[in-house]
């Protein structure tokens, strides 16, 4: 009997020991429960999953996992006068490391097969890599502790820099509805997806990325063009998002549009611009003149620009098309022989008195440009219409020519040029105008006080000419058709009027004054065409605008995405 009782007691004790051991094991394993928040399913296979490490002194498991970090080139932040709050390892290598390049490659490959179980930041990185907004040198991994993952999160968070997220998402075609990094409130939305924010008691600003579609509303090629512009050119694209530009006529530094416009107001007032024009206010004219001097980039047009976009820019663009249509009718062989165009992806060229011109190399090189300029200056009335032309523009003019008589087609078409002029075409024309301006300034005789003095004289010619369009408005209003036809004559008369005052400043007159007059006139026309196409490009209707408000300060902060 005693043996039976002892056996029963032993069985009970064994069962109790088994239960206690199971409970102990369960509690021990529960210390590593966060591993499910950072396994390979959550990270989409872009990083290794979480790993457990047992600590005998604490008698518990800890979890270590890898998360991603990304940032733009340091030159972009330097141009914005800020520092990124996130800087991945290996970002100092422009070409990236083997590991970082593999991450970008894997992100693009796994994008079509992403699952709902993966973290939202993995989906964001996949879209950024596919859109070329991130390259190997921008991304890296960082080891984090699972102890830092809040209990109320279902996946491990990733650290992001607010302004990096903003700029890369705008490049992908998103529109900004709210950007306040200090309070953690960021809201963006576009064809690919959206970014929303919430306040977390431990992490602060917590962001979430939702996928809408696999295709951007702007098209992949446009997005990739924005991505190249974002990463290069010394931050020209990134600053344009906030309405800041580099004034090449003053000193090479980034300045806000409002300050640049303020510099142009005195010369506009002195040259007769009416203060109370009903069609275009003096602010629009000042913005137009600013666009003749600032560094340029293919860009989604910031909303801070749109209120100051001059309507008369459409008149100048239409007049250019009409001039070219006349040339095509008079000299079709010459017109159809112009089959060249610069490449938006060509290397950047720096020229002219250390001032930086973001201008691609032109097919044929510098000697051909200088030859064209010299031939044009030999004429009694040199015109820039024949110089500022590219293959896409030829196709636009030929479309008009194929519908009606080309001048009637251009006159009767009430569309905004931004709706039928591709951004790539306008970018080409701006680059071509820049190249000719660069060479034209170097061709001028040094006795004429240097380039900066010449720029002021050119600005006077432009101010006088555009003051004649103050009351015109856009062709879409139906009142500008006469101005479109007469613009070449209006422009030449205005330049001659300005020259009469300029000539008085040279006493005694130089022997090369007539050549200098032609050079100034050609510079003014090239700069006017550049400003007109830049204005139309920046207010183009087809790409999404960032939606930033005027005067928004450039600031960033650390945020988390989960």
């Amino acid at each position: 009997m005693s043996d039976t009782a002892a056996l029963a007691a032993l069985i009970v004790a064994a069962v109790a020991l088994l239960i206690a051991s199971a409970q102990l094991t369960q509690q021990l394993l529960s210390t590593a429960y966060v591993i499910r928040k950072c396994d390979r399913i959550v990270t989409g296979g872009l990083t290794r999953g979480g790993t457990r490490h047992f600590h005998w002194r604490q008698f518990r498991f800890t979890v270590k996992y890898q998360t991603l970090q990304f940032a733009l080139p340091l030159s972009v932040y330097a141009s914005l006068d800020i520092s990124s709050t996130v800087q991945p390892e290996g970002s100092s290598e422009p070409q990236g490391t083997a590991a970082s390049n593999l991450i970008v490659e894997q992100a693009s490959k796994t994008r079509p097969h992403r699952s709902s179980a993966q973290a939202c930041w993995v989906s964001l990185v996949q879209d950024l890599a596919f859109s070329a907004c991130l390259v190997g040198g921008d991304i890296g991994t960082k080891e984090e502790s699972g102890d830092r993952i809040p209990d109320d999160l279902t996946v491990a968070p990733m650290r992001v820099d607010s302004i990096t997220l903003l700029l890369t998402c705008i490049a992908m075609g998103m529109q900004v509805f709210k950007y306040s990094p200090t309070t953690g409130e960021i809201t963006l939305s576009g064809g690919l997806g959206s970014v929303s924010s919430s306040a977390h008691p431990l992490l602060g600003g917590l962001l979430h990325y939702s996928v809408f579609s696999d295709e951007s509303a702007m098209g992949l090629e446009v997005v990739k063009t924005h991505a190249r512009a974002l990463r290069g050119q010394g931050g020209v694209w990134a600053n344009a998002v906030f309405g800041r530009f580099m004034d090449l006529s003053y000193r090479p530094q980034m300045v806000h549009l409002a300050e640049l416009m303020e510099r142009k107001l005195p010369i506009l007032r002195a040259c007769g611009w009416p203060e109370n024009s009903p069609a275009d206010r003096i602010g629009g004219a000042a913005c137009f003149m600013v666009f003749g001097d600032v560094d340029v980039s293919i860009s989604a047009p910031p909303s801070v620009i749109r209120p100051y976009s001059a309507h008369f820019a459409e008149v100048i663009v239409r007049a250019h098309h009409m001039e070219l249509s006349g040339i095509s009718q008079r000299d079709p062989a010459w017109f159809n022989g112009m089959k060249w165009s610069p490449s938006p992806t060509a290397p950047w060229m720096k020229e002219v008195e250390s001032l930086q011109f973001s201008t691609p190399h032109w097919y044929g090189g510098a000697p051909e440009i200088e030859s064209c300029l010299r031939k044009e200056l030999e004429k009694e009335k040199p015109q820039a219409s024949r110089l500022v032309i590219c293959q896409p523009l030829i196709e636009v003019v030929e479309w008009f020519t194929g519908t009606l008589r080309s001048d009637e087609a251009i006159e009767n078409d009430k569309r905004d040029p931004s709706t039928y002029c591709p951004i790539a075409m306008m970018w080409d024309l701006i680059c071509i105008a820049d190249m000719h301006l660069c060479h034209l300034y170097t061709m001028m005789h040094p006795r004429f006080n240097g380039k900066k003095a010449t720029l002021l004289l050119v600005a006077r010619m432009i101010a006088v000419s555009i003051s004649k369009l103050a009351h015109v408005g856009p062709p879409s209003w139906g009142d500008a058709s006469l101005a479109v036809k007469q613009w070449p004559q209006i422009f030449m008369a205005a330049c001659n009027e300005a020259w009469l005052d300029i000539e008085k400043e040279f006493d005694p007159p130089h022997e090369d004054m007539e050549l200098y007059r032609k050079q100034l006139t050609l510079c003014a026309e090239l700069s006017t065409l550049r400003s007109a196409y830049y204005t139309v490009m920046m207010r183009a209707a087809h790409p999404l605008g960032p939606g930033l408000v005027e005067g928004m300060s450039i600031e960033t902060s650390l945020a988390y995405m989960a």
Side-chain angles (χ1 to χ4, degrees):
M1 185 69 179
S2 60
D3 293 340
T4 303
L7 181 59
L10 181 60
I11 293 173
V12 171
V15 171
L17 178 62
L18 183 61
I19 293 173
S21 299
Q23 290 177 338
L24 179 61
T25 302
Q26 183 182 20
Q27 291 183 5
L28 184 61
L29 292 176
S30 68
T31 61
Y33 79 100
V34 294
I35 198 168
R36 61 184 174 83
K37 300 183 180 183
C38 53
D39 59 19
R40 287 185 63 84
I41 296 176
V42 171
T43 62
L46 299 185
T47 64
R48 59 176 172 80
T51 56
R52 298 184 183 92
H53 299 276
F54 187 71
H55 297 267
W56 286 101
R57 290 185 179 181
Q58 302 175 9
F59 203 68
R60 73 182 185 96
F61 283 103
T62 59
V63 174
K64 298 289 184 180
Y65 69 96
Q66 280 186 340
T67 185
L68 298 177
Q69 289 187 335
F70 62 88
L72 295 170
L74 294 177
S75 59
V76 176
Y77 303 108
S79 70
L80 295 169
D81 300 322
I82 59 172
S83 298
S84 173
T85 57
V86 174
Q87 199 62 43
E89 296 181 4
S91 58
S92 58
E93 301 183 30
Q95 303 302 321
T97 63
S100 62
N101 288 325
L102 181 61
I103 292 173
V104 173
E105 183 182 348
Q106 285 294 108
S108 297
K109 284 183 178 180
T110 58
R111 182 174 179 266
H113 311 292
R114 54 189 172 192
S115 67
S116 58
Q118 68 185 33
C120 67
W121 50 264
V122 176
S123 298
L124 175 65
V125 170
Q126 288 171 333
D127 283 344
L128 291 175
F130 179 75
S131 304
C133 294
L134 288 182
V135 298
D138 301 334
I139 199 164
T141 59
K142 181 177 178 60
E143 191 170 84
E144 298 277 9
S145 171
D147 293 343
R148 299 175 61 90
I149 303 177
D151 293 337
D152 56 347
L153 295 185
T154 58
V155 296
M158 177 184 73
R159 299 181 184 185
V160 293
D161 179 69
S162 297
I163 205 166
T164 304
L165 179 70
L166 175 77
L167 293 173
T168 51
C169 286
I170 289 175
M172 285 200 302
M174 290 192 190
Q175 188 170 5
V176 183
F177 294 96
K178 191 159 190 178
Y179 180 68
S180 179
T182 53
T183 61
E185 296 176 280
I186 301 176
T187 306
L188 307 99
S189 183
L192 285 174
S194 68
V195 176
S196 57
S197 62
S198 60
H200 192 274
L202 297 178
L203 301 179
L206 185 64
L207 307 176
H208 183 77
Y209 179 69
S210 301
V211 178
F212 290 167
S213 171
D214 289 335
E215 298 294 334
S216 171
M218 295 194 303
L220 182 59
E221 287 306 314
V222 175
V223 170
K224 287 186 174 182
T225 303
H226 287 177
R228 287 191 294 266
L230 167 61
R231 297 178 45 75
Q233 309 176 50
V236 173
W237 192 94
N239 278 271
V241 167
F242 290 93
R244 300 202 328 162
F245 302 89
M246 182 180 289
D247 187 356
L248 303 176
S249 67
Y250 192 70
R251 63 170 63 102
Q253 64 182 25
M254 293 294 179
V255 184
H256 198 277
L257 178 65
E259 183 178 340
L260 294 175
M261 289 167 55
E262 194 68 29
R263 297 174 185 174
K264 302 296 183 183
L265 294 180
I267 193 169
L268 281 166
R269 294 190 179 103
C271 293
W273 184 272
E275 290 284 352
N276 299 314
S277 170
D280 275 303
R281 297 181 179 178
I282 194 169
C287 183
F288 180 88
M289 293 190 67
V290 164
F291 285 163
D293 298 330
V294 298
D295 212 344
V296 62
S297 168
I298 295 181
S299 174
S303 61
V304 294
I305 303 299
R306 295 193 179 194
Y308 300 106
S309 296
H311 292 109
F312 62 79
E314 299 178 30
V315 173
I316 299 172
V317 169
R318 289 286 188 87
H320 184 217
H321 296 171
M322 188 172 288
E323 283 188 86
L324 291 178
S325 69
I327 294 173
S328 70
Q329 293 174 356
R330 293 193 305 270
D331 192 357
W334 175 88
F335 187 78
N336 292 324
M338 302 297 289
K339 299 295 185 183
W340 45 263
S341 175
S343 169
T345 59
W348 303 110
M349 186 177 76
K350 311 295 182 184
E351 278 218 21
V352 185
E353 297 180 5
S354 76
L355 298 180
Q356 299 177 350
F357 283 79
S358 288
T359 308
H361 289 291
W362 183 50
Y363 287 166
E368 284 74 11
I369 295 178
E370 192 166 332
S371 175
C372 289
L373 287 171
R374 293 191 184 280
K375 288 180 181 178
E376 199 65 33
L377 290 170
E378 290 173 358
K379 301 176 182 178
E380 179 66 25
K381 295 181 179 180
Q383 291 179 301
S385 302
R386 289 173 174 259
L387 304 176
V388 184
I389 184 172
C390 64
Q391 180 61 29
L393 179 58
I394 291 174
E395 294 171 1
V396 168
V397 174
E398 286 178 341
W399 181 87
F400 280 120
T401 307
T403 53
L404 301 168
R405 284 185 54 237
S406 55
D407 54 348
E408 292 182 1
I410 296 173
E411 179 184 351
N412 295 330
D413 194 330
K414 304 303 182 185
R415 294 177 298 167
D416 186 326
S418 66
T419 62
Y420 65 83
C421 290
I423 283 185
M425 182 198 84
M426 292 185 279
W427 165 252
D428 280 0
L429 297 175
I430 291 167
C431 293
I432 293 168
D434 272 354
M435 288 297 295
H436 285 81
L437 283 168
C438 283
H439 287 275
L440 197 53
Y441 286 130
T442 58
M443 290 167 59
M444 290 184 181
H445 200 285
R447 70 179 63 177
F448 293 111
N449 301 326
K451 181 193 170 189
K452 292 191 177 180
T454 300
L455 284 172
L456 293 175
L457 300 180
V458 169
R460 285 164 60 178
M461 284 187 164
I462 296 173
V464 172
S465 63
I466 63 176
S467 67
K468 311 299 182 183
L469 300 178
H471 300 286
V472 172
S476 57
W477 290 2
D479 300 325
S481 57
L482 185 61
V484 171
K485 286 184 176 181
Q486 296 181 347
W487 170 244
Q489 293 75 28
I490 293 173
F491 178 80
M492 291 305 300
C495 287
N496 291 334
E497 178 185 337
W499 174 251
L500 293 177
D501 292 331
I502 293 171
E503 194 175 20
K504 297 174 184 176
E505 300 176 9
F506 293 90
D507 190 23
H510 296 297
E511 59 182 8
D512 297 326
M513 287 295 287
E514 179 61 22
L515 176 61
Y516 189 51
R517 179 189 68 80
K518 291 181 180 180
Q519 290 172 333
L520 283 181
T521 302
L522 201 56
C523 281
E525 188 174 4
L526 286 167
S527 185
T528 301
L529 284 171
R530 181 196 202 272
S531 297
Y533 278 106
Y534 197 6
T535 301
V536 172
M537 185 181 78
M538 293 296 281
R539 63 184 296 270
H542 34 288
L544 292 172
L548 297 174
V549 298
E550 185 178 3
M552 176 174 287
S553 58
I554 302 177
E555 56 186 1
T556 189
S557 66
L558 178 66
Y560 289 85
M561 177 171 283

